[in-house]
Amino acid sequence: MRFLEEVVVDEFLPTYRSLLAAALRERGLTQQAVADLLGVSQSAVSKYAKGEVGTRAEIETDERVTDHVAEVADGLADGTLSRVGALAEAEALVRDLEAPGDVLADIHAEQMPELAGAGVDFRGTGEGALREREHVLADLRRGVKFLERASGFATLIPAVGSNLVECLPDAETPEDVAGVPGRIFDVMGRTTVPSDPEFGVSAHVATVLLAARDAGSDARAAINVAYSPDLIDSLAEAGYAPVEFPAESESDDTRSAVRDAVADAPDTRALYQTGGYGVEPIVYVLGDDAPSVAAAVRSFC
């Protein structure tokens, strides 16, 4: 009998630490500084550097892992990401890789052939609600990083600013939705994020996401961007099935308008309104999580 957690410890962790140690060394950190950040001995970092620690090729070459390692290494090296934040990011990555049919689940099935065809999701629940909240915040940090590094995203930011949000699985109110405090703005052509994601800081985009979910959408994340007919055409060509709803100035009216629009098209992944008196035209892109929404928007830059 072998637990999925053993796969994480024996296969993922050595590979992940080896990649992260190398990335931090490439950014100029000493072996001791890397050891302190990773919570291991300096001799362990030396072994990682010499290739004396066994790694798993499927994990080492996975693009999500390599992208994640680069982002975490950047944050730890320049001080914009704490060790706790890095741990939350790694936890979120592990949960993604543990999903049925993904790399860690496949390794688990390889080591436990009896699992073939069982259709069981062995991902742990950790500390329940706390772990879910940390997972959402980690998703948002990853998504925001995508946007900050996306060439041209600033041109998609509306005058009121953008916000990238993700909600808890059982979200009911904006307090269950995390977003960027103060929104994301275009400052002289540069995407500017004022602070780290928090829960309960988005009113409008959170309202749109919750209203869409109320009407039957399974989306967990959303972002608002500037409206243009060309963007709507691009979304349609990409299969997002954009749906228009009337512009409303009051939150309750917006919630009702979105519900009505999504009720008629529950599979839509894009909503838009073309503006009105005192209301800027906006497009809302919906998705499974913040990184996938950010990646989708980045593809339209």
Side-chain angles (χ1 to χ4, degrees):
M1 183 170 63
R2 186 164 174 79
F3 292 96
L4 179 56
E5 288 78 6
E6 292 179 90
V7 173
V8 174
V9 171
D10 296 341
E11 308 287 356
F12 173 82
L13 192 55
T15 303
Y16 179 77
R17 280 180 170 161
S18 179
L19 291 172
L20 186 54
L24 289 168
R25 290 287 283 148
E26 289 171 2
R27 286 156 177 77
L29 277 72
T30 65
Q31 282 193 355
Q32 187 58 58
V34 173
D36 291 342
L37 285 171
L38 298 186
V40 299
S41 66
Q42 186 174 346
S43 62
V45 175
S46 178
K47 289 181 180 179
Y48 291 138
K50 294 176 182 178
E52 296 176 359
V53 176
T55 58
R56 189 83 185 206
E58 307 97 294
I59 301 170
E60 193 170 17
T61 58
D62 189 291
E63 186 176 354
R64 293 164 298 175
V65 176
T66 56
D67 287 349
H68 164 93
V69 166
E71 292 170 6
V72 169
D74 285 342
L76 289 173
D78 65 20
T80 59
L81 183 66
S82 68
R83 291 180 66 201
V84 173
L87 178 62
E89 298 275 6
E91 284 274 1
L93 175 64
V94 168
R95 292 195 64 185
D96 288 343
L97 301 180
E98 287 177 339
D102 217 316
V103 60
L104 293 183
D106 285 347
I107 294 173
H108 189 210
E110 171 191 311
Q111 297 175 0
M112 283 279 297
E114 303 93 326
L115 294 175
V120 179
D121 185 348
F122 285 93
R123 287 175 291 179
T125 56
E127 296 182 9
L130 178 60
R131 181 163 175 166
E132 280 292 353
R133 292 175 72 87
E134 287 301 324
H135 179 64
V136 167
L137 292 173
D139 272 356
L140 275 169
R141 285 191 288 267
R142 290 165 58 199
V144 166
K145 284 289 186 184
F146 287 158
L147 298 179
E148 286 181 305
R149 295 175 180 177
S151 175
F153 175 70
T155 64
L156 291 180
I157 299 176
V160 296
S162 287
N163 211 333
L164 177 65
V165 305
E166 182 174 325
C167 69
L168 295 169
D170 56 354
E172 295 181 355
T173 74
E175 294 299 316
D176 301 321
V177 183
V180 177
R183 303 183 185 179
I184 303 168
F185 285 98
D186 169 12
V187 178
M188 299 181 67
R190 181 177 179 180
T191 299
T192 302
V193 181
S195 56
D196 286 340
E198 297 177 19
F199 277 89
V201 297
S202 171
H204 193 73
V205 183
T207 293
V208 170
L209 175 61
L210 292 173
R213 288 172 57 83
D214 285 347
S217 173
D218 61 357
R220 288 272 306 277
I223 189 172
N224 66 314
V225 295
Y227 166 85
S228 75
D230 287 344
L231 177 58
I232 298 303
D233 289 343
S234 296
L235 287 166
E237 290 173 5
Y240 283 76
V243 174
E244 183 176 4
F245 67 94
E248 304 289 354
S249 59
E250 299 293 333
S251 292
D252 288 343
D253 294 335
T254 296
R255 186 178 294 109
S256 178
V258 170
R259 283 175 182 156
D260 290 344
V262 175
D264 292 333
D267 294 330
T268 184
R269 288 299 199 185
L271 299 161
Y272 69 98
Q273 46 88 359
T274 57
Y277 182 73
V279 180
E280 183 180 7
I282 295 289
V283 178
Y284 301 88
V285 178
L286 312 178
D288 296 333
D289 52 43
S292 64
V293 169
V297 170
R298 183 172 61 178
S299 70
F300 297 112
C301 293

